[in-house]
Amino acid sequence: MKYFGQSAFFISSIEYEDNWHIFARMTAAVLAGFIFALLMPIMRRVSLGRFAILNSLLPLSLFVWFASFLFSGLEGNLSSHLEWAFGASLSFKLDGLSLIFALLITGIGALVFAYSASYMKGNPYLDRFYAYLSMFMAAMLGVVLSANALTLFIFWELTSISSFFLIGFKNKDEASRKSALVALAVTGFGGLALLAAMLLMGAVTGTYSIEAMLLQPDVFASSPYTTLILVLIFIAAFTKSAQFPFHFWLPGAMKAPTPVSTYLHSATMVKAGIYLLFRFSPVFTDLALWSNTLMTVGCITMVFGAIHSLFRTDLKSILAYTTISALGTLTFLIGIGTREAIIAALVFVVVHALYKAAMFLIAGIIDHHTNTREVTLLGGLRNAMPLVAVAAFVAALSGAGIPITFGFIGKDLVYEATLHQGNMSLWLTIIALVTNILVGVAGFIAAIKPFAGRLPDALNGTKAPGPVLWFAPILLAILSLILGISPGLMDHTLLIPSLDALAINTDGVYLKMWHGINTVFWLSMVTIAGTVLIYLTAKPYKYLSGIPAKLNMLAPQTIALAMVGSFAQIATAWNKAFQSGHLRYYVLISIITILAIAAAVHLPGFHWHFDWSMIRSVAVYEWVLVVILIASVLFTVFTDSRLAAVASMGVIGYAICLIFVIYGAPDLAITQFTIDTLTVILFILVLYKLPKYLKLTRTRSKLRDGAISIVFGTLITAVVLDVLSLDRPVYISSFYADNAYLLAKGKNVVNVILVDFRGIDTFMEIVVLAVSAIGVFGLLKLKVKRHDV
Amino acid sequence: MSLNDYLFFVIMPILAAAVLLVFVRFFIGPTITDRVLSLDLLITTGMAIIAVYSILSDQSNFLDIAMIFALIAFLSSVAFSYYLKQRKKND
Amino acid sequence: MNENFIFVPLIIHLAAATIMLFAWGRIKFQRWFAILSNAAALIVASALFGMVWNQGIVTVQSGGWKPPFGITMVADTLAASLVLLTSIVGLAVSIFAAGTIIPQRVKYGFFPILQILFLGLCGAFLTGDLFSLYVWFEIIIISSFVLLTIGGEKMQLEGAVNYFTLNMLSSLIFLTAIAIIYGITGTLNMADVAMKLPLVEHPHLVEVTAIFFLAGFGTKAAIFPFYFWLPSSYHTPPDAVSAVFGGLLTKMGVYAIIRVFSLLYADNALISEIITIAAGCTILAGGAAALVQNNLRRLFSYLIICHIGFMIAGIGIGSVLAITGVIFYLFHDIIVKTNLFMVAGLTHRMTGTSSIRDLGGIYDKYPMLALLMAVPLFSLVGIPPLSGFWPKIGLISAGFTDHKWIISGLIILGSFFTLIAIAKLWAEVFWKPSKEIYARPNFTFWNKLGVKRKLLYLVPIGFLAALSLFIGLGAGVIEPVAERVALELSDTMIYVNAVFKTKQ
Amino acid sequence: MRTWFLLNIFLTLVWVALSGEFGPGNFFFGFLLGFCVILVLARKDESKKYALIIPKLISFMFFFIYHVIVANLIVAFDVITRHNYMTPGIVKVPLDAKSDIEITLLANFITLTPGTLSLDVSTDKKVLYIHSMYIKSEESFIKSIKNGFERRLLEIMR
Amino acid sequence: MNLLLPIVTGVLYAAGIYMLLRRSFVKLIIGFTLLGNGVNLLIFLMGRLAKGKPPLIPDYADVIPGLYADPVPQALILTAIVISFGLQSFAIILIKRVYAIANTDDLDEINTTDDYA
Amino acid sequence: MTDIIIIVFATLGSVFIFIAALGIVRMPDLYMRISVTTKAASLGVGLVLIGTAVYFSEIAVTTKVLAIVLFVFLTAPVGAHLIGRAAYYIGVPLWKNSVMDQLKDKYKDDENNELSSED
């Protein structure tokens, strides 16, 4: 076993300005959600029911706290540090990138917390719901704020787990349970990949501090493990952010209550993967593998998601696939990696969060009030819920990238990024264009269709939602508009700090609504026109909805499930083969293993030499003894009578006893004889209650077993012969022999060893006998039929 | 010829031959009682061997073993006959 | 403190067992006395741990014979902490047993035998002599046989047949190895053997003993391909017994592997390689099988195997970081696995079944208890920052540092299997709506139990859950212990010097 | 009779204590001495019987050993030579012995004698079934048993 | 005997293992007995052979003069024999109980614990 | 002198044992084997043991030897008797040349294995 200096391995992470107040505040911000979750069961009475909306005070206050940094700036001070274990440390750092995400998490969190109070009203498990939600929020904050790679992983896993609990929230529904499992399987798998990636990065860079890792791009550029690290990070990010081919858990996750879908599966958690890519893009962005993979996967995902969204008629499904598409876009942009692309990605994160959250919340309202999410059944709701309709309209426009919404800015930036990509810009632009059109259409279908047109009879009498419900979408719509009109608000508050955090030149970075008439403008116009045209004319939901079923064969989830299924089959078969219930096979496997390894180790070194004197010195009676011993062993093995076998065991015992006599072990002979007789007697006393030997095994297995046992016996013989050819080590035994009388006052050395030198053994041997006796007693007397009283 | 030589080259071979003969009966049976009987006789012969051996090695302690043989050897015969009766009864 | 203090935990267990034997048949007395004596043992074990922590390795010679002639008892940090954990488990299980073991079983000596099992475990942890280790192992085996069969239900007996056969075989192989060691070195004291083994002329003999030791201990630890007895027997005895078995018995084997292989076969690349391969197969076999189980306790049994694989893998990697991980995992595993089987007992009490298909509805019916039960379950998975997570960092990163990619990958895969298995279990057992529960004669369901009985279930589960939370959240406290163990194990001479009391 | 035996033991102890030598030889000598004392002092029938039993015992032992050796030689001869003229069989021998201990001892002595083997006693303890290698006629065999072992044994026992 | 006894040991191991691989529980226990004897013999051999020299200190001496058999393996075997007797007797009773309950000693029929529910 | 005594005892004893061994092989039925072996072997062992006692000529050894002889003579017939009885009970046949079998059909087939004394 080798020694690797551990302290040398963990270079203690970069020393922060350790300020207790900062540490306390940051840690409190992250841990507040956990504590809140823990308190939930206790304060169930207080915080639920009519006061449930007050739960949103927690995210709101956090939001306010984080928002305060928008104006006070982040002068590199907000970091804190506490060693935990194995290189993980509770260290948090707030930079621009974290701030964007933190604001989304707490802001949308506050809205969702409030919205849930009304949406989930009357649910008996609302306390759990809030507990999971706040746990999730805390975990997510932890992910984006962690300055330590392992800590990041810790929180990352916690988001997966809380997502598991939230998806499975309707636990009596089997589909929910299944979706939760699938989601956990996929994201958990990714999580473990992340763990591996982080540990590997730690091994390569010698630190787990993310900041310190990011300072060593040259290490990654030269390390042979970079490819592996990248693959692992990709798996982590793609599973979490639902990239093709890991996307399939996300539509399933829509089984969760709508607030959860809004919060976790569109606005925040799925962006954890994006965050991870952002976070590590500075060191990897120059690597071809990084950009190629991200661009390819991003492209596939965004087109795939966009197309699929048109095949769906369930509101949440449509939104889920557009989310996948949007996530693909983000991945794709990070893959391009130019300054424009990163800016576009950062802005698009916010854009998407705003409009998609609004759409989800609206879908929730519709579902809640009409009891259906089927787009084909919906329509004309604008009169029943006018405010919601307005919000939906704004969200749809933003999604389609129509001017004066924030979405327009986002779309523009995307085109900027694709156009400036370089050698493939034309193709990328076309792909982006198609995607944008399709996503826009899908957004229209999801957000405008339910409110437009004629009110179906079935929906007559739909009630208007209460303010708690409509407040959140309206607020999001307003935000979308505000940012759309004056995007410059983001420049110094979020964008530039984020770019700083990503080590990107910030000179001349500013957002504006109007860029003049240029290529990007035309592209936007084409997008808008295409979107509106298709929505008004094509109505894809009418005839495309049958397609997914046909394509199911090829869908990744089908393949994945088939793989899982066949794995389960293999596992079952494997398990049945090994855990067959045949004790003799267990023994056989053990024996063969020992035999194979031991023989492989021993035989090459076997050095014993035959010598005639070994035979010549054997006395007659010794020959007789040996012959009898071997003969009776064979007799025991091959006799058909149990009783004869037992009797012949007796003979073996007596013969061994005589060997002990001849070679100077009288005590041994006595004990051997006594025990042997007792065993025989015991056997006989039990035997008459048992059936006769049956011919149970076939000759073939007998031959096989025979061969194995003979080889084993030979091995033992060889080992013994080898040992006997060594000199006798006498150190201990001569001490015993010399001191047995002088020190321990005993003439029989064996007895002295037993009762004095090794007294504990002897004592414990008696304990064994005693326990055995108790056991036998219990075995004979106690017969419990069914447990419990 | 000394006593030891005599014991070693005459008595021991006779006893060994006896043991072999008894073992032949043990081997061929044919009934279980034959085997039990030969087991009994084997032990008795063993006692004789031990006695001779104690002279050969000048160790009177070996006689303790013979004592134990004498004391408990017949127990297995008792058990066997008990068994045979019981089995008959149970059939 | 005097070095003879090492004996005190053993004496307490032995005395308690003896006293309870004399109180044969007095059920109430035995129940309370078992709890009391285990509490006392816990106090003593803590004191012993404190002593070792402050003074370094403590050794004592039984009968005052200087080593290597007498039997040496060695309390290094590993042994002391395992004795401490044994006592913790002992206390928890004796409380649990007081509430769950039916009077008939108590009448036939359940508690004394349980106490002797603990005695055997402590003895095996503390002994510094190979043959003595064998004897302690036999005590463990015989008392576990008795615990396994006490009551004589059909399943119990059938499980016991498998358990007996493979464990007995392993004992004999272990004994063979000890004999060969004696044959080539002429000594049995582990420290002495450690010094003499490198001088043996024929290294292949040494390696053969290593293989035999591995097979012997491997069977006890349930590594591939020696684990078959475990899944076929661990789900058969009463829950309290399964809890001790699941928590401590296999870990005994792991301990023995750690002790013997770090001491006697340090720096043997071949052996490390074999151990690593075995570990990989163990993880795969246990993890894959766990995914397709339908019985709660059998599922846990396979998870035990899978996680034994983790520890063995760490031993195979062998760096200090890896061993730190192994030790940490050992601590975590003992607490959590014990708790798991107690949780299984609790679910059985709630629903009257252990079949995953029939289980369900616990989440709805007993939300707070579900939360309590979630702690060991998710600790087991290693959801960070719960206890199962930390050692994996050590193990995997040690694998990476040593470029043992495959085994690190397998550890990750094993974690994934565990995650899925437990998530599935959670969905099935806790989320799934409960089925019709039939009233059974002689079976009292949870909601009909009195407060006292309920407490006897909940106190130990809560106690161990709190501990595993502490191990997880307070990993910073546990890690130095594990690391110190790893450092002590990394240099054979530390142990040898401690035994021979030579100056370093 | 038991009292006399105890007295004998007591006398032995007294002798040993007085002489102060604790070897087995001295015990034996003390026992003999005590026996002689009893023999001399014995007046009543009861005590006479005790006094006479020892010689009878000794004579029985000699009889027995003689029998054993002779029979052994016969059997040895038969073993070595061919055994066509052997006439084995199982004979029912009516018993005079009544108590269990008498029957047990008798059966054992019969078994110890080569050539004969007591197989079983009837449940009502009236007959003993004996296997013998040499049965000339049923009557003579029964007579030899009854006049040989049984008579001498019963003399001692009663 | 330095050659013969190792062979006998090997034969005992082989026979024991062969018996362990049978289907009958009784044979299994017999296998353990044989294996146990083999192990005892092996331990005994590990102390090397010394004919007729038991490790007994004569009355007239304080130490054993001359050669003597190694006492340590003897002590170990004594412990091991007794321990394995304890275990074996337990196992033998176990056979009885298993047979009483399962009505067979065929190990292939005593395997319900490995069945899948 | 003692040597010669020992040699005589040992030789006689071993010859008796050998005869017993020969007998167990050669005798035609079990009952005769029992008859032959038990006594011859007991006698043989007794003689050899006495030889041993002569050799050591210590009181302790002599006592031990006497005890052993006593035990042998006590236990051997019991064992022989039990084996013989069991053999007859389970139906081990007599030699074909046996002259009579008065035990035949005397066991009553009931729970107590009653053995009748009637003809």
Side-chain angles (χ1 to χ4, degrees), chain B residues 6-32:
Chain B
Y6 179 77
L7 290 179
F8 192 84
F9 290 109
V10 179
I11 303 292
M12 273 302 202
I14 294 177
L15 289 176
V19 166
L20 264 186
L21 283 175
V22 177
F23 191 71
V24 166
R25 173 53 69 193
F26 181 87
F27 212 79
I28 58 180
T31 65
I32 184 66

Side-chain angles (χ1 to χ4, degrees), chain A residues 509-583:
Chain A
V509 169
Y510 57 94
L511 299 178
K512 57 183 180 181
M513 196 173 95
W514 182 246
H515 293 269
I517 298 174
N518 52 14
T519 331
V520 175
F521 175 78
W522 289 117
L523 283 170
S524 288
M525 286 306 115
V526 172
T527 314
I528 294 165
T531 307
V532 174
L533 202 66
I534 293 179
Y535 173 67
L536 290 179
T537 58
K539 302 205 186 309
Y541 48 86
K542 284 199 172 147
Y543 44 86
L544 286 178
S545 56
I547 293 178
K550 287 174 196 155
L551 289 177
N552 245 352
M553 282 270 296
L554 297 173
Q557 67 266 39
T558 320
I559 297 166
L561 284 178
M563 274 165 62
V564 169
S566 53
F567 176 80
Q569 273 178 357
I570 293 170
T572 315
W574 147 284
N575 194 29
K576 275 198 177 138
F578 272 92
Q579 200 72 36
S580 55
H582 298 304
L583 180 57

Side-chain angles (χ1 to χ4, degrees), chain C residues 96-216:
Chain C
F96 191 75
T100 57
I101 298 295
I102 54 170
Q104 289 102 301
R105 288 201 168 97
V106 179
K107 260 187 201 158
Y108 282 86
F110 177 86
F111 280 110
I113 308 267
L114 188 66
Q115 214 67 38
I116 286 179
L117 179 62
F118 295 141
L119 166 74
L121 286 163
C122 292
F125 292 139
L126 289 173
T127 190
D129 185 281
L130 270 178
F131 191 77
S132 198
L133 184 63
Y134 164 79
V135 175
W136 290 112
F137 259 100
E138 295 303 291
I139 288 199
I140 294 166
I141 288 187
I142 185 72
S143 42
S144 56
F145 282 161
V146 176
L147 288 178
L148 196 61
T149 53
I150 197 166
E153 288 174 271
K154 183 164 185 274
M155 289 286 266
Q156 281 188 296
L157 296 181
E158 296 188 358
V161 172
N162 290 330
Y163 183 92
F164 170 81
T165 307
L166 292 168
N167 275 290
M168 187 79 186
L169 181 64
S170 82
S171 285
L172 289 175
I173 288 171
F174 172 29
L175 193 54
T176 309
I178 293 176
I180 300 172
I181 287 281
Y182 180 79
I184 55 183
T185 62
T187 181
L188 290 166
N189 184 300
M190 285 201 259
D192 203 25
V193 174
M195 290 202 300
K196 291 196 173 136
L197 265 191
L199 311 176
V200 172
E201 278 175 60
H202 298 293
H204 66 279
L205 281 177
V206 178
E207 280 173 356
V208 167
T209 59
I211 304 297
F212 283 174
F213 274 129
L214 186 61

